[in-house]
Amino acid sequence: MLMPVEDGETGRPWSPTEVEAIVVVYFQMLRMQEMGQVPNKTEHNRRLLETLPARNMASLEYKHRNISAVLNLLGIQSLNGYKPLPNFQRMLVDVVGNAVARDRILDEVSLRSVETPAEQPLIDDFSDFVVQIPTPKQRVAERGDVFERLPVKRDYLEREARNRSLGLAGELLVVDFEQRRLHEAGAKKLAERIEHTSHTQGDGAGFDVLSFDTDGRERYIEVKTTAYVAETPFFITPNEVSFSRERDQQFHLYRLFSFRRKPKMFSVVGPIEARFRLDAASYRATLLQ
């Protein structure tokens, strides 16, 4: 649920003028990121502080993370380095939504970014590839609450999910990772039996890669890949959700993120709905007879 909140550092609610100012700066940096540039966050924030005397640097960081949370819920990529932080002001939804509606340059570069093809990266050392699953410290706002207030809607993350080149690159990296994992565990014969199922059988199997535990037990892996942060929402089919329930002890979700910069991964075992909130993204409508 969205609720009015005070600034996490100063204890003062943000005014409309302050919110407008920080959203402008956030979007400047986001445009640069999507254009392939590296924004100087320190300098952007230093100049922003000159116009917001009631705030400090920690306060700006907190609000930037709130903006990331709104964007994630709207299906829009967020700024690297500002992990989404929920419990944001209702006003922030309106200001961010209006900024999205007005920003034609961000629209253009975002579409280009999420639709750009990708190649499998070659990794020689997987020692820091797997990370712990992110643990949200606060309840995430309901997606529907946000969408009702938007003057215009985008869903770049849905377009990214349809980027078959990016998805394939992620699956190939997982196959490489699984082969390396089993080889290093002394299970070379099992490594040779790994199957890229989505390639050999198509997308209807309910998983992408068939691998194994070291004792020979089958491991069904669904791969979801994004160029953005670990907390970025992803799309999953009813078939994949159903399969995760049926094979709850063997189903593994591998979430690859930061894929175009330095790929990382966290994994979740068991039914999808046990660790993720599932929102209805679309419906199939059939004419009534």
PDB file of all heavy atoms in Angstrom, residues 32-54:
ATOM      1  N   MET A  32      21.201   9.432 -19.308  1.00  0.00           N
ATOM      2  CA  MET A  32      22.620   9.201 -19.591  1.00  0.00           C
ATOM      3  C   MET A  32      22.952   7.720 -19.536  1.00  0.00           C
ATOM      4  O   MET A  32      23.657   7.186 -20.416  1.00  0.00           O
ATOM      5  CB  MET A  32      23.483   9.968 -18.584  1.00  0.00           C
ATOM      6  CG  MET A  32      23.437  11.471 -18.727  1.00  0.00           C
ATOM      7  SD  MET A  32      24.516  12.305 -17.527  1.00  0.00           S
ATOM      8  CE  MET A  32      26.130  11.833 -18.168  1.00  0.00           C
ATOM      9  N   GLN A  33      22.455   7.037 -18.516  1.00  0.00           N
ATOM     10  CA  GLN A  33      22.699   5.601 -18.379  1.00  0.00           C
ATOM     11  C   GLN A  33      22.211   4.845 -19.603  1.00  0.00           C
ATOM     12  O   GLN A  33      22.918   3.984 -20.148  1.00  0.00           O
ATOM     13  CB  GLN A  33      21.998   5.077 -17.131  1.00  0.00           C
ATOM     14  CG  GLN A  33      22.018   3.547 -16.993  1.00  0.00           C
ATOM     15  CD  GLN A  33      21.247   3.082 -15.772  1.00  0.00           C
ATOM     16  OE1 GLN A  33      21.690   3.278 -14.652  1.00  0.00           O
ATOM     17  NE2 GLN A  33      20.084   2.483 -15.980  1.00  0.00           N
ATOM     18  N   GLU A  34      20.992   5.161 -20.056  1.00  0.00           N
ATOM     19  CA  GLU A  34      20.420   4.445 -21.201  1.00  0.00           C
ATOM     20  C   GLU A  34      21.110   4.800 -22.511  1.00  0.00           C
ATOM     21  O   GLU A  34      21.021   4.053 -23.482  1.00  0.00           O
ATOM     22  CB  GLU A  34      18.920   4.712 -21.284  1.00  0.00           C
ATOM     23  CG  GLU A  34      18.134   4.184 -20.090  1.00  0.00           C
ATOM     24  CD  GLU A  34      18.407   2.708 -19.844  1.00  0.00           C
ATOM     25  OE1 GLU A  34      17.977   1.879 -20.662  1.00  0.00           O
ATOM     26  OE2 GLU A  34      19.078   2.374 -18.839  1.00  0.00           O
ATOM     27  N   MET A  35      21.809   5.932 -22.549  1.00  0.00           N
ATOM     28  CA  MET A  35      22.578   6.313 -23.725  1.00  0.00           C
ATOM     29  C   MET A  35      23.971   5.700 -23.725  1.00  0.00           C
ATOM     30  O   MET A  35      24.752   5.903 -24.647  1.00  0.00           O
ATOM     31  CB  MET A  35      22.703   7.839 -23.798  1.00  0.00           C
ATOM     32  CG  MET A  35      21.413   8.571 -24.083  1.00  0.00           C
ATOM     33  SD  MET A  35      21.643  10.361 -23.936  1.00  0.00           S
ATOM     34  CE  MET A  35      19.979  10.945 -24.245  1.00  0.00           C
ATOM     35  N   GLY A  36      24.304   4.971 -22.644  1.00  0.00           N
ATOM     36  CA  GLY A  36      25.620   4.352 -22.560  1.00  0.00           C
ATOM     37  C   GLY A  36      26.651   5.205 -21.855  1.00  0.00           C
ATOM     38  O   GLY A  36      27.836   4.836 -21.796  1.00  0.00           O
ATOM     39  N   GLN A  37      26.236   6.352 -21.314  1.00  0.00           N
ATOM     40  CA  GLN A  37      27.156   7.209 -20.568  1.00  0.00           C
ATOM     41  C   GLN A  37      27.126   6.822 -19.085  1.00  0.00           C
ATOM     42  O   GLN A  37      26.217   6.133 -18.625  1.00  0.00           O
ATOM     43  CB  GLN A  37      26.750   8.682 -20.726  1.00  0.00           C
ATOM     44  CG  GLN A  37      26.792   9.179 -22.156  1.00  0.00           C
ATOM     45  CD  GLN A  37      26.240  10.594 -22.285  1.00  0.00           C
ATOM     46  OE1 GLN A  37      25.148  10.801 -22.786  1.00  0.00           O
ATOM     47  NE2 GLN A  37      27.016  11.572 -21.810  1.00  0.00           N
ATOM     48  N   VAL A  38      28.129   7.292 -18.362  1.00  0.00           N
ATOM     49  CA  VAL A  38      28.190   7.029 -16.924  1.00  0.00           C
ATOM     50  C   VAL A  38      27.951   8.341 -16.191  1.00  0.00           C
ATOM     51  O   VAL A  38      28.828   9.219 -16.178  1.00  0.00           O
ATOM     52  CB  VAL A  38      29.559   6.437 -16.520  1.00  0.00           C
ATOM     53  CG1 VAL A  38      29.594   6.171 -15.018  1.00  0.00           C
ATOM     54  CG2 VAL A  38      29.832   5.144 -17.289  1.00  0.00           C
ATOM     55  N   PRO A  39      26.768   8.522 -15.597  1.00  0.00           N
ATOM     56  CA  PRO A  39      26.499   9.782 -14.902  1.00  0.00           C
ATOM     57  C   PRO A  39      27.357   9.934 -13.649  1.00  0.00           C
ATOM     58  O   PRO A  39      27.617   8.961 -12.944  1.00  0.00           O
ATOM     59  CB  PRO A  39      25.009   9.672 -14.536  1.00  0.00           C
ATOM     60  CG  PRO A  39      24.723   8.204 -14.507  1.00  0.00           C
ATOM     61  CD  PRO A  39      25.629   7.578 -15.522  1.00  0.00           C
ATOM     62  N   ASN A  40      27.788  11.148 -13.409  1.00  0.00           N
ATOM     63  CA  ASN A  40      28.546  11.458 -12.196  1.00  0.00           C
ATOM     64  C   ASN A  40      27.529  11.749 -11.087  1.00  0.00           C
ATOM     65  O   ASN A  40      27.124  12.895 -10.885  1.00  0.00           O
ATOM     66  CB  ASN A  40      29.461  12.657 -12.441  1.00  0.00           C
ATOM     67  CG  ASN A  40      30.363  12.956 -11.259  1.00  0.00           C
ATOM     68  OD1 ASN A  40      30.056  12.602 -10.121  1.00  0.00           O
ATOM     69  ND2 ASN A  40      31.477  13.615 -11.522  1.00  0.00           N
ATOM     70  N   LYS A  41      27.120  10.732 -10.360  1.00  0.00           N
ATOM     71  CA  LYS A  41      26.057  10.894  -9.365  1.00  0.00           C
ATOM     72  C   LYS A  41      26.457  11.890  -8.278  1.00  0.00           C
ATOM     73  O   LYS A  41      25.629  12.679  -7.813  1.00  0.00           O
ATOM     74  CB  LYS A  41      25.709   9.531  -8.739  1.00  0.00           C
ATOM     75  CG  LYS A  41      25.130   8.512  -9.708  1.00  0.00           C
ATOM     76  CD  LYS A  41      24.685   7.264  -8.952  1.00  0.00           C
ATOM     77  CE  LYS A  41      24.106   6.205  -9.878  1.00  0.00           C
ATOM     78  NZ  LYS A  41      25.151   5.535 -10.653  1.00  0.00           N
ATOM     79  N   THR A  42      27.707  11.861  -7.875  1.00  0.00           N
ATOM     80  CA  THR A  42      28.158  12.762  -6.815  1.00  0.00           C
ATOM     81  C   THR A  42      27.979  14.218  -7.220  1.00  0.00           C
ATOM     82  O   THR A  42      27.473  15.045  -6.448  1.00  0.00           O
ATOM     83  CB  THR A  42      29.635  12.485  -6.467  1.00  0.00           C
ATOM     84  OG1 THR A  42      29.767  11.120  -6.053  1.00  0.00           O
ATOM     85  CG2 THR A  42      30.116  13.403  -5.362  1.00  0.00           C
ATOM     86  N   GLU A  43      28.366  14.551  -8.439  1.00  0.00           N
ATOM     87  CA  GLU A  43      28.262  15.939  -8.898  1.00  0.00           C
ATOM     88  C   GLU A  43      26.807  16.337  -9.129  1.00  0.00           C
ATOM     89  O   GLU A  43      26.389  17.452  -8.796  1.00  0.00           O
ATOM     90  CB  GLU A  43      29.087  16.138 -10.169  1.00  0.00           C
ATOM     91  CG  GLU A  43      29.095  17.567 -10.704  1.00  0.00           C
ATOM     92  CD  GLU A  43      29.665  18.581  -9.720  1.00  0.00           C
ATOM     93  OE1 GLU A  43      30.357  18.197  -8.766  1.00  0.00           O
ATOM     94  OE2 GLU A  43      29.402  19.794  -9.918  1.00  0.00           O
ATOM     95  N   HIS A  44      26.023  15.424  -9.703  1.00  0.00           N
ATOM     96  CA  HIS A  44      24.592  15.713  -9.887  1.00  0.00           C
ATOM     97  C   HIS A  44      23.937  16.022  -8.544  1.00  0.00           C
ATOM     98  O   HIS A  44      23.157  16.972  -8.415  1.00  0.00           O
ATOM     99  CB  HIS A  44      23.897  14.522 -10.548  1.00  0.00           C
ATOM    100  CG  HIS A  44      24.015  14.497 -12.037  1.00  0.00           C
ATOM    101  ND1 HIS A  44      23.227  15.258 -12.867  1.00  0.00           N
ATOM    102  CD2 HIS A  44      24.820  13.777 -12.848  1.00  0.00           C
ATOM    103  CE1 HIS A  44      23.540  15.024 -14.128  1.00  0.00           C
ATOM    104  NE2 HIS A  44      24.511  14.126 -14.148  1.00  0.00           N
ATOM    105  N   ASN A  45      24.246  15.216  -7.548  1.00  0.00           N
ATOM    106  CA  ASN A  45      23.636  15.413  -6.231  1.00  0.00           C
ATOM    107  C   ASN A  45      24.176  16.659  -5.520  1.00  0.00           C
ATOM    108  O   ASN A  45      23.440  17.331  -4.794  1.00  0.00           O
ATOM    109  CB  ASN A  45      23.852  14.169  -5.367  1.00  0.00           C
ATOM    110  CG  ASN A  45      22.962  13.016  -5.789  1.00  0.00           C
ATOM    111  OD1 ASN A  45      21.854  13.226  -6.274  1.00  0.00           O
ATOM    112  ND2 ASN A  45      23.436  11.798  -5.617  1.00  0.00           N
ATOM    113  N   ARG A  46      25.454  16.956  -5.740  1.00  0.00           N
ATOM    114  CA  ARG A  46      26.020  18.161  -5.126  1.00  0.00           C
ATOM    115  C   ARG A  46      25.292  19.402  -5.638  1.00  0.00           C
ATOM    116  O   ARG A  46      24.914  20.290  -4.857  1.00  0.00           O
ATOM    117  CB  ARG A  46      27.515  18.267  -5.434  1.00  0.00           C
ATOM    118  CG  ARG A  46      28.208  19.419  -4.702  1.00  0.00           C
ATOM    119  CD  ARG A  46      29.607  19.659  -5.227  1.00  0.00           C
ATOM    120  NE  ARG A  46      29.607  20.161  -6.592  1.00  0.00           N
ATOM    121  CZ  ARG A  46      29.312  21.417  -6.928  1.00  0.00           C
ATOM    122  NH1 ARG A  46      28.986  22.307  -5.987  1.00  0.00           N
ATOM    123  NH2 ARG A  46      29.326  21.799  -8.195  1.00  0.00           N
ATOM    124  N   ARG A  47      25.068  19.441  -6.943  1.00  0.00           N
ATOM    125  CA  ARG A  47      24.374  20.599  -7.521  1.00  0.00           C
ATOM    126  C   ARG A  47      22.900  20.624  -7.085  1.00  0.00           C
ATOM    127  O   ARG A  47      22.336  21.707  -6.886  1.00  0.00           O
ATOM    128  CB  ARG A  47      24.474  20.560  -9.044  1.00  0.00           C
ATOM    129  CG  ARG A  47      25.909  20.686  -9.543  1.00  0.00           C
ATOM    130  CD  ARG A  47      25.991  20.826 -11.041  1.00  0.00           C
ATOM    131  NE  ARG A  47      27.383  20.837 -11.508  1.00  0.00           N
ATOM    132  CZ  ARG A  47      27.756  21.197 -12.722  1.00  0.00           C
ATOM    133  NH1 ARG A  47      26.846  21.577 -13.619  1.00  0.00           N
ATOM    134  NH2 ARG A  47      29.024  21.171 -13.064  1.00  0.00           N
ATOM    135  N   LEU A  48      22.313  19.444  -6.955  1.00  0.00           N
ATOM    136  CA  LEU A  48      20.923  19.386  -6.493  1.00  0.00           C
ATOM    137  C   LEU A  48      20.800  19.925  -5.074  1.00  0.00           C
ATOM    138  O   LEU A  48      19.847  20.647  -4.745  1.00  0.00           O
ATOM    139  CB  LEU A  48      20.412  17.947  -6.565  1.00  0.00           C
ATOM    140  CG  LEU A  48      18.985  17.686  -6.094  1.00  0.00           C
ATOM    141  CD1 LEU A  48      17.970  18.505  -6.902  1.00  0.00           C
ATOM    142  CD2 LEU A  48      18.657  16.191  -6.203  1.00  0.00           C
ATOM    143  N   LEU A  49      21.762  19.590  -4.224  1.00  0.00           N
ATOM    144  CA  LEU A  49      21.739  20.055  -2.831  1.00  0.00           C
ATOM    145  C   LEU A  49      21.763  21.583  -2.744  1.00  0.00           C
ATOM    146  O   LEU A  49      21.211  22.166  -1.806  1.00  0.00           O
ATOM    147  CB  LEU A  49      22.920  19.475  -2.059  1.00  0.00           C
ATOM    148  CG  LEU A  49      22.760  18.061  -1.508  1.00  0.00           C
ATOM    149  CD1 LEU A  49      24.045  17.614  -0.822  1.00  0.00           C
ATOM    150  CD2 LEU A  49      21.589  17.987  -0.527  1.00  0.00           C
ATOM    151  N   GLU A  50      22.396  22.230  -3.715  1.00  0.00           N
ATOM    152  CA  GLU A  50      22.448  23.694  -3.711  1.00  0.00           C
ATOM    153  C   GLU A  50      21.059  24.306  -3.852  1.00  0.00           C
ATOM    154  O   GLU A  50      20.810  25.424  -3.415  1.00  0.00           O
ATOM    155  CB  GLU A  50      23.364  24.194  -4.834  1.00  0.00           C
ATOM    156  CG  GLU A  50      24.826  23.839  -4.632  1.00  0.00           C
ATOM    157  CD  GLU A  50      25.694  24.276  -5.801  1.00  0.00           C
ATOM    158  OE1 GLU A  50      25.121  24.784  -6.802  1.00  0.00           O
ATOM    159  OE2 GLU A  50      26.929  24.115  -5.717  1.00  0.00           O
ATOM    160  N   THR A  51      20.144  23.557  -4.473  1.00  0.00           N
ATOM    161  CA  THR A  51      18.776  24.055  -4.668  1.00  0.00           C
ATOM    162  C   THR A  51      17.822  23.538  -3.599  1.00  0.00           C
ATOM    163  O   THR A  51      16.669  23.975  -3.551  1.00  0.00           O
ATOM    164  CB  THR A  51      18.244  23.633  -6.053  1.00  0.00           C
ATOM    165  OG1 THR A  51      18.039  22.213  -6.089  1.00  0.00           O
ATOM    166  CG2 THR A  51      19.225  24.026  -7.145  1.00  0.00           C
ATOM    167  N   LEU A  52      18.291  22.605  -2.759  1.00  0.00           N
ATOM    168  CA  LEU A  52      17.445  22.010  -1.715  1.00  0.00           C
ATOM    169  C   LEU A  52      18.138  22.144  -0.358  1.00  0.00           C
ATOM    170  O   LEU A  52      18.652  21.163   0.194  1.00  0.00           O
ATOM    171  CB  LEU A  52      17.173  20.535  -2.021  1.00  0.00           C
ATOM    172  CG  LEU A  52      16.504  20.195  -3.365  1.00  0.00           C
ATOM    173  CD1 LEU A  52      16.369  18.689  -3.534  1.00  0.00           C
ATOM    174  CD2 LEU A  52      15.142  20.865  -3.461  1.00  0.00           C
ATOM    175  N   PRO A  53      18.179  23.325   0.217  1.00  0.00           N
ATOM    176  CA  PRO A  53      18.940  23.553   1.449  1.00  0.00           C
ATOM    177  C   PRO A  53      18.420  22.762   2.653  1.00  0.00           C
ATOM    178  O   PRO A  53      19.168  22.565   3.618  1.00  0.00           O
ATOM    179  CB  PRO A  53      18.782  25.061   1.684  1.00  0.00           C
ATOM    180  CG  PRO A  53      17.559  25.450   0.904  1.00  0.00           C
ATOM    181  CD  PRO A  53      17.531  24.552  -0.287  1.00  0.00           C
ATOM    182  N   ALA A  54      17.178  22.302   2.600  1.00  0.00           N
ATOM    183  CA  ALA A  54      16.626  21.557   3.746  1.00  0.00           C
ATOM    184  C   ALA A  54      17.029  20.090   3.730  1.00  0.00           C
ATOM    185  O   ALA A  54      16.710  19.349   4.663  1.00  0.00           O
ATOM    186  CB  ALA A  54      15.099  21.668   3.749  1.00  0.00           C
TER     187      ALA A  54
END
